[in-house]
């Protein structure tokens, strides 16, 4: 589903050269639920961003669904992100001025040919699935952290992605809310969605099908 081949990522400033990732070789198979773990600053989010075509490697190949994605034009990368990938962030990234339903519908505004009525019906079904059908007209400021993360999950599912990339999806939540979000992700994985998740939580990582560990930008076997 996603393959990283000989990935290196270096950040440059005028005085400093920082190697964030070094010689990363990794394949995530369709249907897996993979946790990426490691200390802060080890390159976890950088690797996730490269998988999601939000960042480009300094060297190496990114293959998504048999396509050499790192060589694509920006518009083609955007199309892959919109049609094949779903993103969940620790800080939710909801639009404060949009209500729950409109936040979830947002990705479909960028999908050519998407039916307005069909998109709305799908959004309603997904929001019911994550237990928020009673909060459609509420705004992010009126929701708890766990509810905001449920909205973010619903938004990620709108485009029927093959892969969900989740960066610390339980990081801003208490243990009860975190467990509820993890239950939703596990259910989605059981239904066939591939998930790659960055986490610091060993307990949560143990519930996934595979744990990958990074240290100083390198995979630890």
């Amino acid at each position: 589903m996603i393959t990283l081949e000989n990935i290196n990522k270096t950040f440059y400033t005028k005085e400093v050269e920082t190697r964030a990732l070094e010689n990363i070789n990794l394949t995530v198979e369709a249907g897996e639920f993979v946790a990426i773990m490691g200390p802060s600053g080890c390159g976890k989010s950088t690797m996730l961003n490269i998988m999601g075509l939000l960042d480009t490697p300094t060297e190496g190949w990114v293959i998504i669904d048999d396509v050499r994605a790192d060589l694509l034009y920006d518009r083609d990368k955007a199309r892959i992100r919109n049609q094949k990938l779903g993103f969940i962030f620790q800080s939710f990234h909801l639009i404060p001025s949009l209500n729950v339903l409109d936040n979830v519908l947002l990705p479909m505004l960028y999908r050519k040919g998407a039916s307005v009525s069909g998109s709305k019906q799908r959004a309603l079904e997904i929001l019911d699935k994550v237990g928020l059908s009673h909060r459609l007209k509420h705004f992010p400021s009126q929701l708890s952290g766990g509810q905001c993360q449920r909205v973010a999950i619903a938004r990620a599912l709108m485009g029927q992605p093959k892969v969900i990339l989740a960066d610390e999806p339980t990081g801003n939540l208490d243990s009860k809310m975190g467990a509820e979000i993890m239950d939703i992700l596990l259910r989605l994985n059981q239904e066939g969605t591939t998930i790659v998740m960055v986490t610091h939580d060993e307990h949560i990582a143990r519930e996934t099908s595979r744990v990958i560990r990074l240290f100083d930008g390198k995979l630890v076997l």
Side-chain angles (χ1 to χ4, degrees), residues 166-186:
D167 195 353
E168 295 280 3
T170 63
N172 282 338
L173 308 177
D174 62 33
S175 58
K176 181 176 182 296
M177 288 290 187
E180 291 178 0
I181 294 303
M182 192 61 187
D183 285 344
I184 293 172
L185 294 176
L186 286 167

Side-chain angles (χ1 to χ4, degrees), residues 35-38 42 202 205 211-215 218-221:
I36 302 174
M37 299 197 72
C42 72
E202 290 280 357
V211 178
I212 295 166
R213 298 183 187 274
L214 283 176
F215 187 78
K218 300 177 183 178
L219 287 177
V220 180
L221 302 178

Side-chain angles (χ1 to χ4, degrees), residues 80-179:
I80 288 177
R81 287 194 298 268
N82 183 257
Q83 296 182 359
K84 296 186 177 183
L85 306 176
F87 297 89
I88 304 170
F89 301 98
Q90 180 178 1
S91 54
F92 319 133
H93 289 347
L94 302 180
I95 307 300
S97 59
L98 297 181
N99 63 31
V100 165
L101 180 58
D102 288 339
N103 263 289
V104 173
L105 284 168
L106 193 60
M108 305 313 292
L109 296 178
Y110 303 97
R111 181 166 293 193
K112 190 175 181 179
S115 161
V116 174
S117 60
S119 295
K120 185 174 182 179
Q121 181 58 38
R122 175 163 173 77
L124 292 172
E125 291 171 359
I126 293 172
L127 284 165
D128 183 60
K129 189 174 186 177
V130 299
L132 284 177
S133 56
H134 61 303
R135 296 282 191 175
L136 302 180
K137 298 302 181 181
H138 286 69
F139 292 87
S141 62
Q142 298 172 304
L143 304 176
S144 69
Q147 289 170 333
C148 284
Q149 196 59 287
R150 287 169 183 261
V151 177
I153 291 172
R155 181 183 58 192
L157 292 174
M158 267 304 292
Q160 297 178 286
K162 292 187 174 183
V163 182
I164 287 179
L165 302 173
D167 195 353
E168 295 280 3
T170 63
N172 282 338
L173 308 177
D174 62 33
S175 58
K176 181 176 182 296
M177 288 290 187

Side-chain angles (χ1 to χ4, degrees), residues 10-27:
T10 304
F11 294 101
Y12 299 95
T13 65
K14 289 182 179 179
E15 295 85 17
V16 180
E17 175 182 312
T18 303
R19 179 67 65 89
L21 295 173
E22 185 172 347
N23 197 32
I24 299 294
N25 289 280
L26 173 68
T27 295

Side-chain angles (χ1 to χ4, degrees), residues 40-74:
S40 296
C42 72
K44 302 185 299 299
S45 293
T46 299
M47 189 164 80
L48 198 74
N49 287 341
I50 288 174
M51 285 183 177
L53 306 180
L54 297 172
D55 199 354
T56 56
T58 307
E59 299 173 291
W61 295 12
V62 181
I63 301 169
I64 298 178
D65 205 16
D66 297 324
V67 173
R68 176 79 187 275
D70 57 290
L71 293 180
L72 296 176
Y73 290 112
D74 287 346

